[in-house]
Amino acid sequence: LVWRFPREIKPRTCELMSDGIVLRASADFLGLRVYRAQDDFRSFFWQFWLRSSDYWQQVIIWSDENGNLVYYCPYVLAMGASISSGYCQDVSNLLMAVVTDVFDAQEAIAFTQCTDPRFREWLARKNQLSIQTGKNEARLFAIRCYTDDPEWMVVGASRMIRFLKTWHWVVSTCAGFLMAVPEKRELGVASTWNGHGHLSSASIVVLQPHKALSALEVIRRAFRGEVTVSEWKDNNQLLNHLSVVRLNEKDAMYSMWSVVAGLDNNQLIPVSRMHLHKDGIEKWIQTLSCHSAAPYSSAVDLQYVLDFSTTAPMAPSLPLAIHHIYTDAAKTGTTQPGVAGFIAGYYWVLPLNEHDLEMFDIPVLEMLGVVIAVLMVTEYFPTLAVTIWTDSDTSVAVLHNKATSEAMKWLHSRLIRSKQYLDCSARGLYVGHISGAANNFADLPSRGKINELEQLCAAFGIRARRLPLLPSVLSLLPELHLYMAQFRATNSTSLSHAQPFNKCGDGPQRLHHSFVLPTTAPSLPNDIEAWRSQQRNIVCNATANQRIMPHTLLRAPPVLPALRPLGSVLSAPATTAVEHKRVRLSPLPPASLSQSMSTGVAPRPPVTICNNNTELPRAAAISNMLCQARDPNLAIVAKDPQIGALMKLMHDSLHGSYAPSTLRNDRGYWREWSYFCSEILGTSPLRTDISANIGWDCIGHQREVFLLSLFTVWKISNMKPRSSQVPVANPRSAHGAISSIRRSHALVTGIELVKTPQINKIIRGFLRSYVQQFGPDVLVPKRKEPMRMSVVKQMVNLPSGSRISPSGRYAVIHWLDPFWTSWRACLLTMLSTGFRKNEISLHSSAVFTKGRLSRASIWWHIGAVTYSDPDVRTLQSFTHGDYVIMKPPLAKNDQFGQAFGNKPIYLPYHESVLCAALALRDLEVRFPMRGAIRQHAPLFAMDARLQPFRHDVIDSIFHRHIGLVVGSEAAQCYSLHSFRIGLACALLKSGKPLPLIQALLRWMSPESLIPYARLDPLEYGNHLIHATSVEITGVTPANLPRLDNDDLVVQCQSVLQSHSDTVFDMNEP
């Protein structure tokens, strides 16, 4: 089930009862009284203003007296809207958490000042309990809030006075909420909350008499056939509210809901239905007639109440030995289906007939197995504590919560009302879920495989013995059949047969634990701290989604140091992670607040007006911006001269977050964006309206979307194709321009541009139009050809003196020169490693830095010894079994060396002209470098002055060099990236798996490998030839022959056709 909005969590009366009994115990120990108080918010829903883009969700269409349609739109959360109650409850939960945190801080100070020995003893034991539970147990107050009705209990009159001051200060003064008239407030030892009366002096909850009488009147009229299903359901909701007097009865509402199961809301309830569930209804009649109150202790598990006669809280005692029972039920896959159980060699089997299999789902039969297990173990093993294992999640869920289907309700109620269940729970009863594959001890007898069970037991040294079924077990199925027959007889619309899977509504989709405590024990109080943390996350998520803007929560005067950041949490932008820090909340100016109250729109945050400067803001502009604030206390004023250096460092760090090549491209796109905004549209390129960018301002949001969409159209229309061979530019290139502008705008202003899916739709529209006009070939990406090994051999085998160009510095090949030695080593290294051009060379304006390929990037493993700075004699001994170890340089997919920096490349020695290790050895021997200079010397240098390779130089030399081998026209199909493509293709053709190719060429994801690892034509064809020799024998089940009497029908039709012309004499006897 997917919830669009956070699930609404309301406090329950039993939670308040649990708080009350805990506080009553502490109050009695300290000799104090428990006081209660209650407050109320005034028009709580109307204190939350909607943002303008959400107005349409609250529009009401009405027809006036003239028949004209009138549109009403509340600017606040409307009464009756499904989302309103949930949002207000979330804010209430957060307010309760803040009040609790503030008062906890005050209490901590008060606790340190109290010297009463009795109180110090109480505090010591509470602190010891807090260590065990991980929660703050040393509290003398409790607070709950049902949407807009807060209720709190406090121990001691003076503490109640302090709490009232804290409550008013946090909720009214800091958060700015308006409270109801004083007549709605209550203070004393008794109060009315959530429809019940509460007495602190007696620790009881009192039912309202008129509600009990109303429920009894509906039941009386129903027995006379005068109540509709809709009325009965409303009465069930009232009974559920009154169920505080039956907290420990999980089946209290089973009969009440079964009365109307499957009936139409406007239908009168049949009297036969009332008599069928008379037993459960009479329990409610007796309860409402004889019980007008319930003690608080009924909501607490007494095993966990602090015992002040000891030094530690009582813990639940566990039995020394727990025996395991396995249960299972089988319907299919066997000729002898049944329900079985197993415990320590003893087993029992309840056979199932065809009627049983037809009427009951497998979850019902699995639950029946659990019930039988309790009855059998109580009779045959009356002293054992047991754990019942079932492979049905449904049974565990029902025992932990409640049942939904009629059969499950009957079994659950029958179980928990039985004496055997009470006795078994008193000794120790646990229920757990086990996978079906591990449940062989019960699965085998449930399928009638007794011989296999005996063999399995013998393997464990156990003798399998069958226990006779008890009369109470044998009567379960007949009684269940009788009940279901009576139920179906009173409701013809509910007739259904059993399904092979769970359709009864009970099952693992309901939340439960793997193990549950005995279900007769009262439920423990909920984990309040975890619950409160969950509410904080819900409110923060709702605020981050910008569903509501409770601007009243932003007003606050100076606060106590212990206050948590209520304002910062609810006003945090969607991209900001909420942290629990102490902050100072600033009040909104009265003008902004009055404006928002009158317009229904939250006040827009202040916007700093920037000029059209295309660079990052300078220190003066930043200082001017920081000095502007609605509250002078929040303005940032530099008092330390070092602030200038810090701001420059921040500026440089922002620039350094992206690669220099990225920033160069960004400057070009930013110039285009500035020109388009300033010269064509006459607006600022700095879109600093936060409300419009994130969607708070509906009209402004549409404006920003229109601006960015129009620029996309303008950019695509003015883009130039990458080469003269392509008539138009690829519209997909506009994605890069938009991303670049977003990045630059965030660097300039710290504000992200508007996000809209309209950009992708525009680009798709251009793509479709261009394909229709020029064909799909225009948009097909042009890839370079893979480098072939034969081509590289011819390139490095060209003799010295070969001229690659008419003139120039590197027009003639001289393999002994520094450049050509490095060039040869570079080509062969790229062939073996697949380095990118940016990894072996630099841009024309870049500086050689650490992380680039240097002489220190390679180690030599010669004769089982690894050298980082070998001499010439050692290098000349480089032979078979030796190899070069190379550390990968920084790359575009590993800009900080964290991905591949610890994954070295190994280049082995082999007798070949394409051996990269030998080429590197020749480079080191001819131009040796020793010592620390190796760290600063590029591995591949232009000359003896250690100038690194440059992009433009090696691009030109490469195309002229390869042109001597393949021709100048074919040379245009190659680039330095062809070495990386060629290595990937060669590895693929040699049969290497794709993950290995990805690792050898240092790709971060398998998707990056797809454009490079191309199939060889011969290999491609061989795959197709092999496919033609394979015969497919599979048949789709829908196309299989049907098992019917078609042939007989055809014969009958032919006989009838042959006699169609025969004339019969009607008078013939």
Side-chain angles (χ1 to χ4, degrees):
L1 182 63
V2 178
W3 291 84
R4 182 180 177 186
F5 301 104
R7 183 189 291 269
E8 187 175 354
I9 301 178
K10 298 287 190 182
R12 299 177 296 171
T13 302
C14 61
E15 296 172 357
L16 188 71
M17 296 167 64
S18 176
D19 294 340
I21 194 63
V22 173
L23 291 180
R24 173 64 185 274
S26 298
D28 292 344
F29 183 79
L30 298 175
L32 300 173
R33 302 185 67 178
V34 179
Y35 294 92
R36 317 179 70 93
Q38 184 178 341
D39 205 345
D40 191 11
F41 291 91
R42 186 177 74 185
S43 302
F44 195 37
F45 288 9
W46 294 354
Q47 298 190 48
F48 295 88
W49 298 91
L50 292 173
R51 63 178 181 183
S52 58
S53 60
D54 282 342
Y55 287 166
W56 64 273
Q57 299 185 27
Q58 302 276 6
V59 171
I60 301 173
I61 303 177
W62 198 258
S63 178
D64 60 10
E65 61 233 6
N66 299 325
N68 299 322
L69 292 180
V70 181
Y71 297 87
Y72 294 94
C73 178
Y75 293 141
V76 296
L77 289 179
M79 298 288 186
S82 59
I83 63 174
S84 301
S85 177
Y87 283 136
C88 293
Q89 183 64 56
D90 292 338
V91 175
S92 298
N93 295 340
L94 183 59
L95 284 174
M96 301 307 104
V98 173
V99 172
T100 300
D101 291 343
V102 173
F103 201 67
D104 275 344
Q106 297 181 8
E107 286 284 86
I109 299 175
F111 286 174
T112 59
Q113 298 174 353
C114 183
T115 58
D116 182 18
R118 190 76 171 168
F119 177 82
R120 303 309 301 180
E121 181 183 358
W122 173 87
L123 182 60
R125 295 178 179 177
K126 283 289 185 178
N127 289 338
Q128 185 179 4
L129 181 62
S130 299
I131 295 175
Q132 297 181 12
T133 62
K135 300 180 295 183
N136 183 9
E137 303 287 353
R139 281 192 181 133
L140 293 173
F141 69 97
I143 181 170
R144 301 283 176 178
C145 184
Y146 194 96
T147 310
D148 60 344
D149 295 320
E151 169 90 0
W152 54 87
M153 296 174 287
V154 182
V155 176
S158 60
R159 183 172 286 102
M160 171 61 82
I161 295 174
R162 287 194 289 109
F163 188 89
L164 291 175
K165 293 180 179 179
T166 303
W167 167 261
H168 176 75
W169 177 79
V170 172
V171 176
S172 298
T173 307
C174 296
F177 281 103
L178 304 178
M179 308 307 293
V181 295
E183 287 78 4
K184 290 190 175 183
R185 298 170 182 168
E186 297 182 6
L187 177 64
V189 295
S191 66
T192 301
W193 183 79
N194 202 15
H196 297 300
H198 295 268
L199 300 178
S200 297
S201 57
S203 295
I204 60 174
V205 56
V206 181
L207 303 184
Q208 299 292 333
H210 67 279
K211 294 183 178 180
L213 292 175
S214 175
L216 288 172
E217 175 63 17
V218 172
I219 296 175
R220 183 185 65 83
R221 290 175 49 232
F223 272 104
R224 298 191 314 204
E226 301 174 355
V227 176
T228 64
V229 173
S230 178
E231 291 181 87
W232 186 264
K233 289 181 178 180
D234 293 339
N235 192 61
N236 281 353
Q237 298 294 343
L238 176 60
L239 292 178
N240 191 58
H241 174 70
L242 300 176
S243 61
V244 292
V245 294
R246 300 181 67 180
L247 282 179
N248 294 331
E249 302 179 39
K250 290 189 175 183
D251 60 340
M253 296 299 299
Y254 280 179
S255 298
M256 310 306 290
W257 286 110
S258 298
V259 168
V260 294
L263 301 181
D264 185 74
N265 283 338
N266 298 323
Q267 177 182 353
L268 289 174
I269 300 177
V271 178
S272 58
R273 274 289 185 95
M274 299 295 296
H275 288 284
L276 176 62
H277 303 284
K278 185 176 180 180
D279 294 341
I281 298 175
E282 286 182 345
K283 292 178 182 178
W284 266 111
I285 296 176
Q286 181 181 6
T287 299
L288 296 177
S289 303
C290 304
H291 298 82
S292 59
Y296 276 7
S297 57
S298 62
V300 181
D301 188 345
L302 297 181
Q303 297 184 38
Y304 291 90
V305 176
L306 188 64
D307 183 5
F308 291 103
S309 63
T310 62
T311 57
M314 297 173 60
S317 58
L318 295 177
L320 297 179
I322 300 179
H323 298 266
H324 301 278
I325 303 178
Y326 302 91
T327 65
D328 197 7
K331 289 185 62 174
T332 59
T334 177
T335 59
Q336 302 177 20
V339 180
F342 179 92
I343 176 173
Y346 296 93
Y347 69 95
W348 55 86
V349 181
L350 176 64
L352 300 175
N353 55 38
E354 294 183 358
H355 187 47
D356 300 331
L357 301 178
E358 180 183 3
M359 298 307 299
F360 299 126
D361 301 333
I362 190 65
V364 176
L365 298 177
E366 296 278 6
M367 183 64 184
L368 177 64
V370 175
V371 177
I372 293 175
V374 173
L375 299 178
M376 295 290 289
V377 74
T378 306
E379 178 67 24
Y380 287 105
F381 311 101
T383 61
L384 296 185
V386 296
T387 296
I388 299 178
W389 295 97
T390 172
D391 59 5
S392 171
D393 246 348
T394 303
S395 301
V396 181
V398 168
L399 290 173
H400 183 66
N401 298 302
K402 296 178 181 179
T404 301
S405 64
E406 292 303 318
M408 282 290 197
K409 288 179 182 178
W410 189 89
L411 288 172
H412 189 208
S413 180
R414 181 65 177 266
L415 174 64
I416 63 179
R417 296 284 176 179
S418 65
K419 180 180 181 298
Q420 293 88 340
Y421 182 75
L422 298 176
D423 295 342
C424 194
S425 299
R427 297 190 305 270
L429 174 62
Y430 306 86
V431 179
H433 176 258
I434 188 173
S435 63
N439 198 21
N440 290 331
F441 286 105
D443 180 74
L444 292 175
S446 69
R447 300 180 182 276
K449 300 179 180 180
I450 306 302
N451 294 332
E452 288 84 343
L453 176 64
E454 293 176 350
Q455 295 175 6
L456 179 63
C457 291
F460 287 91
I462 303 174
R463 177 187 173 190
R465 286 167 288 185
R466 184 166 183 168
L467 295 176
L469 295 176
L470 301 172
S472 58
V473 173
L474 295 174
S475 63
L476 280 176
L477 271 178
E479 292 178 9
L480 180 57
H481 276 294
L482 177 62
Y483 170 78
M484 295 303 298
Q486 295 174 348
F487 177 78
R488 290 185 173 93
T490 58
N491 180 23
S492 59
T493 61
S494 64
L495 290 174
S496 62
H497 292 285
Q499 301 293 331
F501 49 88
N502 180 18
K503 292 186 62 177
C504 59
D506 307 290
Q509 68 272 14
R510 303 186 52 184
L511 300 179
H512 62 277
H513 302 288
S514 297
F515 295 92
V516 295
L517 290 173
T519 51
T520 54
S523 302
L524 292 174
N526 290 345
D527 190 343
I528 306 302
E529 295 297 331
W531 173 78
R532 179 171 294 132
S533 176
Q534 180 184 8
Q535 303 316 301
R536 287 178 179 146
N537 294 336
I538 290 177
V539 175
C540 293
N541 293 336
T543 308
N545 293 331
Q546 304 299 340
R547 283 287 177 187
I548 56 174
M549 295 182 298
H551 63 276
T552 55
L553 295 179
L554 302 178
R555 297 195 299 114
V559 301
L560 290 178
L563 183 60
R564 293 296 189 270
L566 173 63
S568 64
V569 169
L570 292 182
S571 62
T575 57
T576 304
V578 178
E579 298 180 356
H580 293 283
K581 299 179 180 178
R582 293 187 176 91
V583 298
R584 179 170 179 167
L585 308 180
S586 68
L588 289 175
S592 301
L593 182 58
S594 60
Q595 178 183 2
S596 64
M597 293 286 288
S598 61
T599 61
V601 181
R604 182 179 300 177
V607 176
T608 303
I609 306 301
C610 302
N611 54 20
N612 295 341
N613 186 11
T614 60
E615 302 295 334
L616 289 173
R618 296 295 185 263
I622 297 179
S623 300
N624 182 37
M625 176 185 65
L626 298 180
C627 292
Q628 300 179 12
R630 285 179 247 169
D631 187 353
N633 295 327
L634 297 181
I636 300 176
V637 181
K639 295 184 178 181
D640 192 328
Q642 296 182 357
I643 188 64
L646 294 177
M647 292 172 64
K648 183 179 183 303
L649 181 59
M650 179 185 68
H651 175 273
D652 296 339
S653 299
L654 288 173
H655 259 97
S657 61
Y658 297 102
S661 58
T662 302
L663 294 178
R664 282 194 300 270
N665 295 332
D666 289 351
R667 281 193 287 269
Y669 287 125
W670 184 259
R671 283 193 294 267
E672 295 178 356
W673 169 255
S674 299
Y675 173 83
F676 175 80
C677 293
S678 304
E679 302 299 328
I680 298 180
L681 297 181
T683 186
S684 172
L686 303 178
R687 317 307 296 173
T688 54
D689 190 345
I690 301 178
S691 300
N693 285 333
I694 65 178
W696 287 3
D697 184 356
C698 183
I699 298 177
H701 184 75
Q702 295 178 0
R703 180 190 66 239
E704 299 302 320
V705 171
F706 171 80
L707 174 63
L708 202 58
S709 301
L710 197 61
F711 172 78
T712 304
V713 177
W714 178 83
K715 175 62 180 174
I716 296 176
S717 303
N718 290 273
M719 284 192 307
K720 296 180 180 180
R722 301 186 65 176
S723 66
S724 58
Q725 300 176 358
V726 183
V728 294
N730 192 335
R732 290 193 186 95
S733 302
H735 278 302
I738 299 299
S739 300
S740 173
I741 293 169
R742 291 186 186 277
R743 186 165 49 245
S744 300
H745 193 275
L747 282 175
V748 172
T749 63
I751 301 172
E752 291 187 356
L753 285 176
V754 63
K755 295 181 179 179
T756 171
Q758 192 164 319
I759 304 299
N760 292 331
K761 296 178 181 179
I762 291 174
I763 295 176
R764 286 178 59 86
F766 272 95
L767 288 172
R768 192 176 302 278
S769 175
Y770 280 10
V771 168
Q772 294 175 357
Q773 184 176 359
F774 302 103
D777 295 337
V778 176
L779 302 178
V780 174
K782 300 299 186 292
R783 305 286 186 185
K784 296 298 182 180
E785 289 297 319
M787 183 59 64
R788 295 175 173 84
M789 304 300 170
S790 59
V791 174
V792 180
K793 286 182 180 180
Q794 296 179 51
M795 291 176 64
V796 298
N797 283 333
L798 288 175
S800 295
S802 300
R803 182 174 292 274
I804 64 174
S805 64
S807 61
R809 182 178 178 184
Y810 306 108
V812 181
I813 298 176
H814 294 289
W815 292 117
L816 299 181
D817 287 350
F819 171 81
W820 289 103
T821 303
S822 293
W823 178 247
R824 184 175 184 274
C826 178
L827 293 179
L828 298 180
T829 300
M830 294 180 67
L831 186 66
S832 298
T833 61
F835 281 152
R836 303 174 181 88
K837 179 174 66 174
N838 191 52
E839 298 173 19
I840 53 97
S841 62
L842 304 178
H843 192 270
S844 58
S845 59
V847 179
F848 188 86
T849 58
K850 294 182 178 180
R852 295 287 184 176
L853 273 178
S854 66
R855 291 289 184 95
S857 301
I858 60 175
W859 291 264
W860 298 86
H861 187 82
I862 303 174
V865 179
T866 302
Y867 301 90
S868 60
D869 185 12
D871 55 17
V872 175
R873 179 176 299 178
T874 303
L875 289 171
Q876 289 176 345
S877 64
F878 191 71
T879 183
H880 290 284
D882 299 337
Y883 50 87
V884 176
I885 306 173
M886 180 177 293
K887 180 181 179 182
L890 301 181
K892 70 174 185 178
N893 63 339
D894 187 21
Q895 299 183 14
F896 306 105
Q898 296 181 343
F900 305 113
N902 61 346
K903 297 178 177 61
I905 300 170
Y906 301 96
L907 301 176
Y909 174 95
H910 58 96
E911 292 290 345
S912 172
V913 70
L914 300 180
C915 180
L918 283 177
L920 291 172
R921 192 276 308 270
D922 294 340
L923 177 63
E924 290 271 14
V925 171
R926 293 173 187 173
F927 307 98
M929 292 182 185
R930 306 296 305 277
I933 194 175
R934 294 178 64 87
Q935 298 180 0
H936 309 284
L939 182 59
F940 308 119
M942 302 283 291
D943 49 31
R945 294 179 299 174
L946 303 181
Q947 292 297 319
F949 278 2
R950 299 293 177 177
H951 292 348
D952 53 349
V953 176
I954 63 174
D955 276 336
S956 175
I957 293 175
F958 171 78
H959 284 99
R960 288 182 289 169
H961 191 178
I962 195 175
L964 290 180
V965 177
V966 299
S968 58
E969 183 176 355
Q972 301 303 319
C973 299
Y974 294 88
S975 70
L976 289 172
H977 209 66
S978 297
F979 290 91
R980 187 172 182 83
I981 303 173
L983 180 58
C985 295
L987 290 171
L988 181 63
K989 186 175 181 179
S990 62
K992 300 301 184 289
L994 294 181
L996 178 60
I997 300 176
Q998 176 186 343
L1000 291 176
L1001 279 88
R1002 302 168 303 285
W1003 274 306
M1004 297 292 288
S1005 64
E1007 291 76 13
S1008 303
L1009 179 61
I1010 296 175
Y1012 296 96
R1014 309 170 191 173
L1015 286 175
D1016 183 81
L1018 182 60
E1019 185 180 5
Y1020 192 106
N1022 290 334
H1023 285 307
L1024 296 181
I1025 294 173
H1026 179 70
T1028 58
S1029 62
V1030 177
E1031 184 63 26
I1032 300 175
T1033 59
V1035 180
T1036 304
N1039 297 328
L1040 292 172
R1042 292 183 300 175
L1043 298 176
D1044 50 23
N1045 297 323
D1046 287 353
D1047 297 335
L1048 180 60
V1049 172
V1050 171
Q1051 294 178 11
C1052 294
Q1053 289 178 347
S1054 61
V1055 172
L1056 292 175
Q1057 184 67 26
S1058 63
H1059 293 82
S1060 60
D1061 298 331
T1062 304
V1063 178
F1064 296 92
D1065 186 359
M1066 302 303 297
N1067 297 322
E1068 184 178 343

